Short mmCIF file of all heavy atoms in Angstrom, two decimals:
data_model
loop_
_atom_site.label_atom_id
_atom_site.label_comp_id
_atom_site.label_asym_id
_atom_site.label_seq_id
_atom_site.Cartn_x
_atom_site.Cartn_y
_atom_site.Cartn_z
N MET A 465 3.64 18.40 15.50
CA MET A 465 2.82 18.89 14.45
C MET A 465 3.63 19.23 13.21
O MET A 465 3.11 19.22 12.12
CB MET A 465 2.01 20.12 14.92
CG MET A 465 0.87 19.71 15.78
SD MET A 465 -0.39 20.81 15.39
CE MET A 465 -1.66 20.19 16.35
N SER A 466 4.89 19.62 13.40
CA SER A 466 5.70 19.95 12.25
C SER A 466 5.92 18.79 11.34
O SER A 466 6.13 18.93 10.13
CB SER A 466 7.03 20.54 12.67
OG SER A 466 7.77 19.57 13.43
N VAL A 467 5.91 17.53 11.91
CA VAL A 467 6.05 16.36 11.10
C VAL A 467 4.85 16.18 10.15
O VAL A 467 4.99 15.84 8.97
CB VAL A 467 6.14 15.11 12.01
CG1 VAL A 467 6.18 13.81 11.16
CG2 VAL A 467 7.41 15.21 12.87
N LYS A 468 3.65 16.43 10.61
CA LYS A 468 2.40 16.42 9.76
C LYS A 468 2.54 17.45 8.60
O LYS A 468 2.17 17.11 7.50
CB LYS A 468 1.14 16.66 10.54
CG LYS A 468 0.71 15.52 11.36
CD LYS A 468 -0.63 15.75 11.93
CE LYS A 468 -1.17 14.55 12.68
NZ LYS A 468 -2.51 14.76 13.20
N LYS A 469 2.97 18.57 8.95
CA LYS A 469 3.05 19.63 7.82
C LYS A 469 4.12 19.15 6.83
O LYS A 469 3.83 19.36 5.60
CB LYS A 469 3.51 20.89 8.48
CG LYS A 469 2.50 21.62 9.25
CD LYS A 469 2.92 22.92 9.75
CE LYS A 469 1.88 23.63 10.65
NZ LYS A 469 2.34 24.87 11.21
N GLN A 470 5.17 18.54 7.20
CA GLN A 470 6.21 18.14 6.23
C GLN A 470 5.60 17.01 5.36
O GLN A 470 5.83 17.02 4.17
CB GLN A 470 7.45 17.69 6.90
CG GLN A 470 8.22 18.82 7.58
CD GLN A 470 9.43 18.30 8.37
OE1 GLN A 470 9.65 17.13 8.47
NE2 GLN A 470 10.23 19.25 8.89
N THR A 471 4.96 16.06 5.91
CA THR A 471 4.41 14.89 5.20
C THR A 471 3.29 15.36 4.18
O THR A 471 3.24 14.88 3.10
CB THR A 471 3.88 13.79 6.06
OG1 THR A 471 2.95 14.26 6.93
CG2 THR A 471 5.00 13.14 6.84
N SER A 472 2.47 16.34 4.66
CA SER A 472 1.41 16.74 3.75
C SER A 472 1.96 17.49 2.61
O SER A 472 1.35 17.48 1.50
CB SER A 472 0.40 17.60 4.52
OG SER A 472 0.99 18.80 4.97
N GLN A 473 3.04 18.21 2.76
CA GLN A 473 3.65 18.89 1.59
C GLN A 473 4.26 17.93 0.66
O GLN A 473 4.26 18.20 -0.53
CB GLN A 473 4.66 19.90 2.15
CG GLN A 473 4.10 21.02 2.91
CD GLN A 473 5.19 21.94 3.52
OE1 GLN A 473 6.38 21.60 3.49
NE2 GLN A 473 4.79 23.09 4.06
N LYS A 474 4.84 16.81 1.10
CA LYS A 474 5.39 15.87 0.24
C LYS A 474 4.42 15.08 -0.60
O LYS A 474 4.70 14.67 -1.71
CB LYS A 474 6.23 14.88 1.02
CG LYS A 474 7.50 15.50 1.60
CD LYS A 474 8.27 14.44 2.38
CE LYS A 474 9.48 15.08 3.10
NZ LYS A 474 10.24 14.12 3.86
N LEU A 475 3.17 14.99 -0.13
CA LEU A 475 2.12 14.18 -0.79
C LEU A 475 1.50 14.87 -2.00
O LEU A 475 1.03 14.23 -2.87
CB LEU A 475 1.08 13.76 0.20
CG LEU A 475 1.39 12.83 1.32
CD1 LEU A 475 0.22 12.59 2.23
CD2 LEU A 475 1.90 11.47 0.71
N THR A 476 1.59 16.17 -2.03
CA THR A 476 0.99 16.90 -3.15
C THR A 476 2.02 17.02 -4.28
O THR A 476 2.98 17.67 -4.23
CB THR A 476 0.59 18.34 -2.71
OG1 THR A 476 1.72 18.98 -2.20
CG2 THR A 476 -0.49 18.27 -1.71
N PRO A 477 1.72 16.29 -5.43
CA PRO A 477 2.65 16.33 -6.57
C PRO A 477 2.51 17.57 -7.36
O PRO A 477 1.50 18.24 -7.36
CB PRO A 477 2.21 15.11 -7.38
CG PRO A 477 0.78 14.95 -7.08
CD PRO A 477 0.66 15.38 -5.65
N GLU A 478 3.59 17.99 -7.92
CA GLU A 478 3.52 19.21 -8.80
C GLU A 478 2.91 18.87 -10.11
O GLU A 478 3.19 17.80 -10.68
CB GLU A 478 5.01 19.73 -9.00
CG GLU A 478 5.65 20.17 -7.75
CD GLU A 478 7.03 20.65 -8.01
OE1 GLU A 478 7.40 20.88 -9.17
OE2 GLU A 478 7.87 20.78 -7.00
N PRO A 479 2.12 19.74 -10.65
CA PRO A 479 1.44 19.46 -11.92
C PRO A 479 2.44 19.29 -13.04
O PRO A 479 2.24 18.58 -13.94
CB PRO A 479 0.52 20.65 -12.18
CG PRO A 479 0.41 21.38 -10.88
CD PRO A 479 1.63 20.92 -10.03
N LYS A 480 3.52 20.05 -12.99
CA LYS A 480 4.57 19.96 -14.02
C LYS A 480 5.17 18.58 -14.13
O LYS A 480 5.45 18.09 -15.17
CB LYS A 480 5.61 21.02 -13.78
CG LYS A 480 6.58 21.17 -14.92
CD LYS A 480 7.55 22.29 -14.72
CE LYS A 480 8.44 22.52 -15.87
NZ LYS A 480 9.39 23.63 -15.64
N LEU A 481 5.37 17.96 -13.03
CA LEU A 481 5.86 16.62 -12.93
C LEU A 481 4.94 15.67 -13.58
O LEU A 481 5.38 14.79 -14.41
CB LEU A 481 6.17 16.17 -11.51
CG LEU A 481 6.75 14.83 -11.31
CD1 LEU A 481 8.14 14.72 -11.89
CD2 LEU A 481 6.81 14.51 -9.80
N SER A 482 3.67 15.72 -13.34
CA SER A 482 2.66 14.88 -14.00
C SER A 482 2.63 15.09 -15.49
O SER A 482 2.55 14.12 -16.28
CB SER A 482 1.29 15.16 -13.41
OG SER A 482 0.35 14.40 -14.05
N PHE A 483 2.74 16.34 -15.91
CA PHE A 483 2.77 16.62 -17.35
C PHE A 483 3.98 15.98 -18.02
O PHE A 483 3.78 15.48 -19.15
CB PHE A 483 2.78 18.16 -17.52
CG PHE A 483 2.81 18.51 -18.97
CD1 PHE A 483 1.71 18.41 -19.79
CD2 PHE A 483 3.96 19.07 -19.63
CE1 PHE A 483 1.68 18.74 -21.11
CE2 PHE A 483 3.93 19.45 -20.91
CZ PHE A 483 2.85 19.29 -21.65
N THR A 484 5.14 16.11 -17.44
CA THR A 484 6.32 15.50 -18.06
C THR A 484 6.22 13.96 -18.10
O THR A 484 6.64 13.35 -19.07
CB THR A 484 7.60 15.88 -17.34
OG1 THR A 484 7.48 15.48 -15.95
CG2 THR A 484 7.87 17.43 -17.48
N ASN A 485 5.63 13.30 -17.13
CA ASN A 485 5.41 11.90 -17.18
C ASN A 485 4.50 11.49 -18.28
O ASN A 485 4.76 10.53 -18.93
CB ASN A 485 4.88 11.36 -15.88
CG ASN A 485 5.95 11.37 -14.75
OD1 ASN A 485 7.07 11.45 -15.00
ND2 ASN A 485 5.46 11.41 -13.49
N ASP A 486 3.41 12.27 -18.49
CA ASP A 486 2.56 11.94 -19.57
C ASP A 486 3.22 12.17 -20.97
O ASP A 486 3.06 11.30 -21.85
CB ASP A 486 1.31 12.92 -19.52
CG ASP A 486 0.40 12.55 -18.39
OD1 ASP A 486 0.43 11.39 -17.92
OD2 ASP A 486 -0.48 13.41 -18.03
N GLU A 487 4.04 13.18 -21.03
CA GLU A 487 4.74 13.43 -22.26
C GLU A 487 5.72 12.33 -22.54
O GLU A 487 5.81 11.89 -23.68
CB GLU A 487 5.50 14.80 -22.15
CG GLU A 487 5.90 15.39 -23.43
CD GLU A 487 6.40 16.74 -23.25
OE1 GLU A 487 5.62 17.69 -23.11
OE2 GLU A 487 7.65 16.93 -23.22
N GLU A 488 6.48 11.83 -21.52
CA GLU A 488 7.43 10.75 -21.74
C GLU A 488 6.76 9.51 -22.17
O GLU A 488 7.22 8.76 -23.00
CB GLU A 488 8.22 10.54 -20.47
CG GLU A 488 9.19 11.59 -20.15
CD GLU A 488 9.85 11.42 -18.76
OE1 GLU A 488 9.66 10.35 -18.19
OE2 GLU A 488 10.49 12.35 -18.35
N ARG A 489 5.53 9.24 -21.53
CA ARG A 489 4.77 8.02 -21.86
C ARG A 489 4.29 8.09 -23.29
O ARG A 489 4.42 7.09 -24.01
CB ARG A 489 3.52 7.92 -20.91
CG ARG A 489 2.70 6.72 -21.16
CD ARG A 489 1.46 6.73 -20.34
NE ARG A 489 0.64 7.93 -20.46
CZ ARG A 489 -0.22 8.13 -21.50
NH1 ARG A 489 -0.38 7.23 -22.43
NH2 ARG A 489 -0.87 9.24 -21.56
N LEU A 490 3.81 9.27 -23.76
CA LEU A 490 3.46 9.35 -25.13
C LEU A 490 4.60 9.15 -26.12
O LEU A 490 4.43 8.52 -27.15
CB LEU A 490 2.73 10.74 -25.38
CG LEU A 490 1.48 10.92 -24.74
CD1 LEU A 490 0.99 12.34 -24.86
CD2 LEU A 490 0.40 9.97 -25.34
N ARG A 491 5.75 9.74 -25.80
CA ARG A 491 6.89 9.55 -26.65
C ARG A 491 7.32 8.10 -26.70
O ARG A 491 7.73 7.61 -27.73
CB ARG A 491 8.11 10.42 -26.18
CG ARG A 491 7.87 11.87 -26.45
CD ARG A 491 9.06 12.67 -26.08
NE ARG A 491 8.77 14.10 -26.37
CZ ARG A 491 9.41 15.11 -25.82
NH1 ARG A 491 10.34 14.89 -24.88
NH2 ARG A 491 9.07 16.35 -26.11
N ARG A 492 7.24 7.40 -25.58
CA ARG A 492 7.62 5.97 -25.56
C ARG A 492 6.57 5.15 -26.37
O ARG A 492 6.96 4.21 -27.06
CB ARG A 492 7.68 5.53 -24.10
CG ARG A 492 8.17 4.11 -23.97
CD ARG A 492 8.20 3.65 -22.51
NE ARG A 492 6.85 3.65 -21.94
CZ ARG A 492 6.48 4.32 -20.91
NH1 ARG A 492 7.24 5.07 -20.24
NH2 ARG A 492 5.22 4.23 -20.48
N ASP A 493 5.31 5.50 -26.21
CA ASP A 493 4.24 4.73 -26.88
C ASP A 493 4.21 4.93 -28.41
O ASP A 493 3.65 4.06 -29.11
CB ASP A 493 2.88 5.13 -26.29
CG ASP A 493 2.63 4.62 -24.95
OD1 ASP A 493 3.47 3.79 -24.50
OD2 ASP A 493 1.73 5.10 -24.23
N ILE A 494 4.81 5.98 -28.96
CA ILE A 494 4.89 6.15 -30.36
C ILE A 494 5.59 5.02 -31.05
O ILE A 494 5.17 4.58 -32.16
CB ILE A 494 5.70 7.45 -30.67
CG1 ILE A 494 4.83 8.67 -30.28
CG2 ILE A 494 6.06 7.57 -32.16
CD1 ILE A 494 5.58 9.99 -30.41
N TYR A 495 6.56 4.41 -30.38
CA TYR A 495 7.38 3.36 -31.03
C TYR A 495 6.84 1.93 -30.80
O TYR A 495 7.52 0.95 -31.09
CB TYR A 495 8.86 3.47 -30.55
CG TYR A 495 9.42 4.85 -30.91
CD1 TYR A 495 9.63 5.77 -29.95
CD2 TYR A 495 9.67 5.11 -32.26
CE1 TYR A 495 10.16 7.03 -30.32
CE2 TYR A 495 10.18 6.38 -32.61
CZ TYR A 495 10.38 7.29 -31.64
OH TYR A 495 10.93 8.53 -31.98
N ARG A 496 5.63 1.82 -30.16
CA ARG A 496 5.01 0.52 -30.01
C ARG A 496 4.71 -0.05 -31.36
O ARG A 496 4.33 0.70 -32.32
CB ARG A 496 3.80 0.54 -29.15
CG ARG A 496 4.05 0.85 -27.72
CD ARG A 496 2.73 0.80 -26.96
NE ARG A 496 2.93 1.08 -25.58
CZ ARG A 496 2.48 0.38 -24.54
NH1 ARG A 496 1.75 -0.65 -24.84
NH2 ARG A 496 2.69 0.76 -23.34
N PRO A 497 4.68 -1.41 -31.60
CA PRO A 497 4.22 -1.99 -32.80
C PRO A 497 2.71 -1.64 -33.03
O PRO A 497 1.94 -1.44 -32.11
CB PRO A 497 4.42 -3.43 -32.59
CG PRO A 497 5.26 -3.62 -31.37
CD PRO A 497 5.10 -2.34 -30.57
N ASP A 498 2.39 -1.58 -34.29
CA ASP A 498 1.03 -1.23 -34.69
C ASP A 498 -0.07 -2.17 -34.13
O ASP A 498 -1.10 -1.79 -33.68
CB ASP A 498 0.85 -1.12 -36.21
CG ASP A 498 1.62 0.05 -36.77
OD1 ASP A 498 1.90 1.01 -35.98
OD2 ASP A 498 1.90 -0.01 -38.00
N ILE A 499 0.27 -3.50 -34.09
CA ILE A 499 -0.69 -4.46 -33.57
C ILE A 499 -0.88 -4.21 -32.08
O ILE A 499 -2.00 -4.37 -31.62
CB ILE A 499 -0.21 -5.89 -33.91
CG1 ILE A 499 -1.31 -6.90 -33.70
CG2 ILE A 499 1.04 -6.28 -33.14
CD1 ILE A 499 -2.43 -6.80 -34.72
N GLU A 500 0.16 -3.82 -31.39
CA GLU A 500 -0.05 -3.56 -29.91
C GLU A 500 -0.87 -2.31 -29.69
O GLU A 500 -1.68 -2.25 -28.81
CB GLU A 500 1.33 -3.41 -29.28
CG GLU A 500 1.29 -3.40 -27.79
CD GLU A 500 2.71 -3.34 -27.10
OE1 GLU A 500 3.68 -3.56 -27.85
OE2 GLU A 500 2.67 -3.04 -25.92
N LYS A 501 -0.69 -1.28 -30.53
CA LYS A 501 -1.51 -0.09 -30.43
C LYS A 501 -2.99 -0.39 -30.72
O LYS A 501 -3.83 0.08 -30.02
CB LYS A 501 -1.00 0.94 -31.51
CG LYS A 501 0.28 1.60 -31.13
CD LYS A 501 0.61 2.55 -32.26
CE LYS A 501 2.05 3.04 -32.17
NZ LYS A 501 2.46 3.91 -33.29
N LEU A 502 -3.21 -1.28 -31.75
CA LEU A 502 -4.58 -1.72 -32.04
C LEU A 502 -5.23 -2.45 -30.86
O LEU A 502 -6.29 -2.15 -30.53
CB LEU A 502 -4.58 -2.53 -33.28
CG LEU A 502 -5.93 -3.10 -33.72
CD1 LEU A 502 -6.86 -1.94 -34.11
CD2 LEU A 502 -5.79 -4.06 -34.86
N HIS A 503 -4.43 -3.33 -30.30
CA HIS A 503 -4.94 -4.07 -29.15
C HIS A 503 -5.30 -3.20 -27.95
O HIS A 503 -6.36 -3.34 -27.38
CB HIS A 503 -3.89 -5.15 -28.69
CG HIS A 503 -4.26 -5.91 -27.45
ND1 HIS A 503 -5.26 -6.81 -27.47
CD2 HIS A 503 -3.81 -5.77 -26.18
CE1 HIS A 503 -5.40 -7.26 -26.21
NE2 HIS A 503 -4.49 -6.63 -25.45
N LEU A 504 -4.45 -2.26 -27.68
CA LEU A 504 -4.74 -1.29 -26.56
C LEU A 504 -5.93 -0.40 -26.92
O LEU A 504 -6.73 -0.11 -26.00
CB LEU A 504 -3.48 -0.44 -26.29
CG LEU A 504 -2.30 -1.17 -25.72
CD1 LEU A 504 -1.09 -0.22 -25.60
CD2 LEU A 504 -2.67 -1.68 -24.30
N PHE A 505 -6.07 -0.01 -28.15
CA PHE A 505 -7.22 0.78 -28.55
C PHE A 505 -8.48 0.07 -28.40
O PHE A 505 -9.52 0.59 -27.86
CB PHE A 505 -7.01 1.32 -29.97
CG PHE A 505 -8.15 2.16 -30.43
CD1 PHE A 505 -8.37 3.40 -29.93
CD2 PHE A 505 -8.98 1.70 -31.41
CE1 PHE A 505 -9.42 4.19 -30.39
CE2 PHE A 505 -9.99 2.48 -31.93
CZ PHE A 505 -10.22 3.77 -31.35
N THR A 506 -8.52 -1.22 -28.87
CA THR A 506 -9.77 -2.00 -28.74
C THR A 506 -10.13 -2.27 -27.33
O THR A 506 -11.24 -2.32 -26.95
CB THR A 506 -9.68 -3.32 -29.56
OG1 THR A 506 -8.53 -4.02 -29.17
CG2 THR A 506 -9.65 -3.00 -31.07
N GLN A 507 -9.08 -2.46 -26.51
CA GLN A 507 -9.28 -2.69 -25.06
C GLN A 507 -9.93 -1.45 -24.43
O GLN A 507 -10.81 -1.52 -23.62
CB GLN A 507 -7.97 -3.05 -24.40
CG GLN A 507 -8.07 -3.30 -22.86
CD GLN A 507 -6.74 -3.66 -22.26
OE1 GLN A 507 -5.69 -3.57 -22.93
NE2 GLN A 507 -6.72 -4.00 -21.03
N MET A 508 -9.45 -0.22 -24.83
CA MET A 508 -9.98 0.97 -24.36
C MET A 508 -11.45 1.10 -24.72
O MET A 508 -12.27 1.55 -23.95
CB MET A 508 -9.16 2.13 -24.88
CG MET A 508 -9.64 3.56 -24.41
SD MET A 508 -8.78 4.87 -25.32
CE MET A 508 -9.43 4.67 -26.95
N LEU A 509 -11.80 0.74 -25.93
CA LEU A 509 -13.13 0.78 -26.42
C LEU A 509 -14.06 -0.10 -25.61
O LEU A 509 -15.17 0.27 -25.23
CB LEU A 509 -13.27 0.47 -27.86
CG LEU A 509 -12.64 1.54 -28.86
CD1 LEU A 509 -12.77 1.03 -30.24
CD2 LEU A 509 -13.32 2.84 -28.70
N ARG A 510 -13.58 -1.34 -25.29
CA ARG A 510 -14.37 -2.26 -24.53
C ARG A 510 -14.60 -1.73 -23.16
O ARG A 510 -15.74 -1.92 -22.60
CB ARG A 510 -13.65 -3.66 -24.50
CG ARG A 510 -13.87 -4.42 -25.73
CD ARG A 510 -13.38 -5.87 -25.49
NE ARG A 510 -12.55 -6.20 -26.64
CZ ARG A 510 -11.21 -6.52 -26.56
NH1 ARG A 510 -10.62 -6.64 -25.41
NH2 ARG A 510 -10.56 -6.84 -27.70
N VAL A 511 -13.56 -1.21 -22.48
CA VAL A 511 -13.69 -0.65 -21.14
C VAL A 511 -14.73 0.49 -21.16
O VAL A 511 -15.56 0.62 -20.22
CB VAL A 511 -12.35 -0.29 -20.53
CG1 VAL A 511 -12.51 0.52 -19.27
CG2 VAL A 511 -11.48 -1.50 -20.34
N ASN A 512 -14.61 1.34 -22.17
CA ASN A 512 -15.55 2.51 -22.28
C ASN A 512 -16.91 2.01 -22.36
O ASN A 512 -17.89 2.53 -21.74
CB ASN A 512 -15.14 3.39 -23.43
CG ASN A 512 -15.88 4.67 -23.42
OD1 ASN A 512 -16.29 5.19 -22.43
ND2 ASN A 512 -16.15 5.22 -24.63
N ALA A 513 -17.21 0.97 -23.16
CA ALA A 513 -18.57 0.44 -23.35
C ALA A 513 -19.07 -0.16 -22.02
O ALA A 513 -20.22 -0.03 -21.74
CB ALA A 513 -18.58 -0.66 -24.42
N LEU A 514 -18.15 -0.86 -21.31
CA LEU A 514 -18.51 -1.37 -20.01
C LEU A 514 -18.95 -0.27 -19.08
O LEU A 514 -19.95 -0.44 -18.39
CB LEU A 514 -17.34 -2.20 -19.48
CG LEU A 514 -17.58 -2.85 -18.11
CD1 LEU A 514 -18.62 -4.02 -18.25
CD2 LEU A 514 -16.30 -3.36 -17.54
N TYR A 515 -18.23 0.80 -19.03
CA TYR A 515 -18.58 1.91 -18.13
C TYR A 515 -19.91 2.56 -18.55
O TYR A 515 -20.62 3.05 -17.65
CB TYR A 515 -17.49 3.00 -18.11
CG TYR A 515 -16.22 2.54 -17.37
CD1 TYR A 515 -15.01 3.03 -17.73
CD2 TYR A 515 -16.25 1.72 -16.30
CE1 TYR A 515 -13.89 2.69 -17.05
CE2 TYR A 515 -15.16 1.34 -15.61
CZ TYR A 515 -13.94 1.87 -15.99
OH TYR A 515 -12.82 1.49 -15.35
N LYS A 516 -20.21 2.63 -19.78
CA LYS A 516 -21.47 3.19 -20.23
C LYS A 516 -22.63 2.36 -19.81
O LYS A 516 -23.72 2.89 -19.50
CB LYS A 516 -21.50 3.37 -21.76
CG LYS A 516 -20.64 4.55 -22.21
CD LYS A 516 -20.86 4.68 -23.73
CE LYS A 516 -20.01 5.94 -24.21
NZ LYS A 516 -20.16 6.13 -25.67
N LYS A 517 -22.48 1.02 -19.72
CA LYS A 517 -23.53 0.14 -19.31
C LYS A 517 -23.78 0.12 -17.79
O LYS A 517 -24.77 -0.32 -17.32
CB LYS A 517 -23.27 -1.32 -19.76
CG LYS A 517 -23.48 -1.50 -21.23
CD LYS A 517 -23.34 -2.99 -21.54
CE LYS A 517 -22.39 -3.28 -22.61
NZ LYS A 517 -22.17 -4.69 -22.84
N ALA A 518 -22.76 0.54 -17.04
CA ALA A 518 -22.83 0.48 -15.57
C ALA A 518 -23.89 1.30 -15.01
O ALA A 518 -24.10 2.49 -15.44
CB ALA A 518 -21.48 0.87 -15.01
N LYS A 519 -24.61 0.80 -14.05
CA LYS A 519 -25.65 1.55 -13.33
C LYS A 519 -25.22 1.68 -11.92
O LYS A 519 -24.95 0.69 -11.19
CB LYS A 519 -26.96 0.90 -13.43
CG LYS A 519 -27.50 0.74 -14.83
CD LYS A 519 -28.88 0.09 -14.88
CE LYS A 519 -29.36 -0.04 -16.29
NZ LYS A 519 -30.58 -0.72 -16.44
N ILE A 520 -25.23 2.90 -11.43
CA ILE A 520 -24.86 3.19 -10.03
C ILE A 520 -26.09 3.28 -9.19
O ILE A 520 -26.95 4.06 -9.48
CB ILE A 520 -24.00 4.52 -10.00
CG1 ILE A 520 -22.69 4.34 -10.82
CG2 ILE A 520 -23.66 4.74 -8.51
CD1 ILE A 520 -21.92 5.59 -10.90
N THR A 521 -26.12 2.50 -8.16
CA THR A 521 -27.32 2.58 -7.26
C THR A 521 -26.85 2.97 -5.86
O THR A 521 -25.68 2.54 -5.44
CB THR A 521 -27.99 1.19 -7.18
OG1 THR A 521 -27.09 0.24 -6.78
CG2 THR A 521 -28.58 0.81 -8.57
N HIS A 522 -27.61 3.72 -5.17
CA HIS A 522 -27.27 4.17 -3.81
C HIS A 522 -28.34 3.54 -2.90
O HIS A 522 -29.52 3.43 -3.21
CB HIS A 522 -27.38 5.71 -3.69
CG HIS A 522 -26.34 6.34 -4.58
ND1 HIS A 522 -25.00 6.45 -4.21
CD2 HIS A 522 -26.42 7.03 -5.80
CE1 HIS A 522 -24.35 7.06 -5.15
NE2 HIS A 522 -25.18 7.38 -6.11
N LYS A 523 -27.92 3.24 -1.71
CA LYS A 523 -28.78 2.64 -0.72
C LYS A 523 -29.56 3.75 0.02
O LYS A 523 -29.21 4.84 0.15
CB LYS A 523 -28.02 1.88 0.33
CG LYS A 523 -27.54 0.56 -0.26
CD LYS A 523 -26.91 -0.27 0.77
CE LYS A 523 -26.51 -1.63 0.21
NZ LYS A 523 -25.93 -2.52 1.22
#
């Protein structure tokens, strides 16, 4: 049982680690070319519109 306790502790990431990864990603993305930023932004808008149209049905 001690093996299960050790693995479950390793699976839970620290929130600080996630925050630093987001911060590093944002710093890296600042230097992307403007056209690439525009492409990613329009892609995000299309995906958002797709999610708004989605209808969830339950059996």
Side-chain angles (χ1 to χ4, degrees):
M465 285 214 173
S466 64
V467 175
K468 280 188 176 181
K469 288 182 183 178
Q470 289 175 356
T471 56
S472 65
Q473 289 175 353
K474 290 180 184 178
L475 292 177
T476 55
E478 295 179 13
K480 189 174 185 181
L481 180 65
S482 176
F483 178 73
T484 55
N485 288 339
D486 289 340
E487 197 171 282
E488 289 174 11
R489 181 186 54 82
L490 288 173
R491 286 185 181 157
R492 186 181 64 237
D493 288 346
I494 288 173
Y495 300 107
R496 286 183 185 231
D498 290 340
I499 194 73
E500 190 176 348
K501 289 179 193 175
L502 178 64
H503 175 70
L504 291 172
F505 180 68
T506 54
Q507 183 180 6
M508 180 188 67
L509 291 176
R510 280 191 228 119
V511 169
N512 189 30
L514 179 69
Y515 286 150
K516 283 185 178 180
K517 287 189 231 176
K519 294 182 181 177
I520 300 172
T521 57
H522 297 280
K523 289 186 176 183

